[in-house]
């Protein structure tokens, strides 16, 4: 479903991606982990051509993203063609990016109506089914400002699914949420994985990566340091950089759990 070959990305003199090569099979879940600034989110945005690559090739479902190849030369596609390609790729961001002046239902049906030309009745029926799936059918008439962060992110997932994508991209979808709201979003993502949705997930949720990921790729400094099954990368990492990162994450999780326990104790007393 996704094939990247020697992908490079620069911002001025800063080379953010230094030759990323990987493959994601249809129905597979790839979790990208690594420290902030390692290039994970940039690579995710390159997959659907929100960021233009400076070298290499990226294919989604066998189609070269953003470009047409003629011999050894690449010619960038027009905006209409790029939008057509993106319509098969759902993306969920850190922030929910819902239209504040639209209801939950209106947010979900907007793209199917405008981009895919679906009838309003069909779009509404599909949106209601998706809201049922994410547990928010009762909120169809609510506005984003009246929803919790976790609810808004679940609406954002439903909105992405409304385009019937072949691939879903998640850019740290729980990082902006309060800890008690994280599980409700991860539960929806687990359900998608169980249904066979191909997913590339940038995440710091190691338990989710361990339980749901088919492959984990650890990125640092714009390169993939190592990748493999969760049991190998998380429990038996081969590289010192991976071991150091995981040690910091585990220590941070333990500290956060301790702080959460202290708050609960204070509430009880």
């Amino acid at each position: 479903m996704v094939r990247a070959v020697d992908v490079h990305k620069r911002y001025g003199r800063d080379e953010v991606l230094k030759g990323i090569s990987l493959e994601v099979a249809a129905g597979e879940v790839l979790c990208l982990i690594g420290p902030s600034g390692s290039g994970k989110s940039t690579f995710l945005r390159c997959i659907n051509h929100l960021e233009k690559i400076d070298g290499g090739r990226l294919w989604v479902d066998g189609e070269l993203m953003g470009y047409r190849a003629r011999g050894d030369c690449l010619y960038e596609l027009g905006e209409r063609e790029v939008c057509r390609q993106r319509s098969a790729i759902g993306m969920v961001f850190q922030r929910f990016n819902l239209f504040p002046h639209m209801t939950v239902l209106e947010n979900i049906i907007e793209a199917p109506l405008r981009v895919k030309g679906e009838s309003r009745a069909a779009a509404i029926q599909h949106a209601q089914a998706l809201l049922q799936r994410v547990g928010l059918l009762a909120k169809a008439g609510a506005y984003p400002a009246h929803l919790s962060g976790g609810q808004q992110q679940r609406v954002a997932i439903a909105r992405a699914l409304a385009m019937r994508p072949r691939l879903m991209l998640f850019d740290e979808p729980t990082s902006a949420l309060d800890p008690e709201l994280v599980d409700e979003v991860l539960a929806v993502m687990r359900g998608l994985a169980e249904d066979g949705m191909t997913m590339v997930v940038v995440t710091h949720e190691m338990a989710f990566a361990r339980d749901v990921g088919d492959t984990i790729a650890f990125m640092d400094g714009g390169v993939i340091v190592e990748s493999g099954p969760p049991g190998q990368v998380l429990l038996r990492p081969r590289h010192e950089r991976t071991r150091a990162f995981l040690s910091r994450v585990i220590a941070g999780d333990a500290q956060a759990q301790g702080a959460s326990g202290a708050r609960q104790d204070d509430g009880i007393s």
Side-chain angles (χ1 to χ4, degrees), residues 119-155:
S119 71
R120 186 172 183 86
I124 289 175
Q125 184 178 24
H126 189 211
Q128 290 173 334
L130 291 171
L131 285 172
Q132 181 73 43
R133 176 173 188 163
V134 301
L136 290 173
L137 183 57
K139 299 291 186 180
Y143 287 89
H146 300 148
L147 303 179
S148 69
Q151 290 173 331
Q152 289 188 60
Q153 193 63 294
R154 283 187 280 159
V155 172

Side-chain angles (χ1 to χ4, degrees), residues 109-199:
I109 67 174
E110 178 72 5
L113 290 177
R114 291 184 176 271
V115 179
K116 302 195 79 171
E118 290 187 13
S119 71
R120 186 172 183 86
I124 289 175
Q125 184 178 24
H126 189 211
Q128 290 173 334
L130 291 171
L131 285 172
Q132 181 73 43
R133 176 173 188 163
V134 301
L136 290 173
L137 183 57
K139 299 291 186 180
Y143 287 89
H146 300 148
L147 303 179
S148 69
Q151 290 173 331
Q152 289 188 60
Q153 193 63 294
R154 283 187 280 159
V155 172
I157 294 173
R159 181 180 60 178
L161 292 172
M163 292 294 285
R164 296 179 171 86
R166 299 190 298 272
L167 168 69
M168 285 288 288
L169 308 176
F170 292 87
D171 187 6
E172 298 195 38
T174 60
S175 64
L177 301 178
D178 292 333
E180 61 269 21
L181 303 178
V182 168
D183 285 347
E184 64 187 53
V185 174
L186 293 181
V188 173
M189 295 171 64
R190 289 173 190 269
L192 290 176
E194 290 169 359
D195 288 346
M197 174 64 74
T198 310
M199 299 161 58

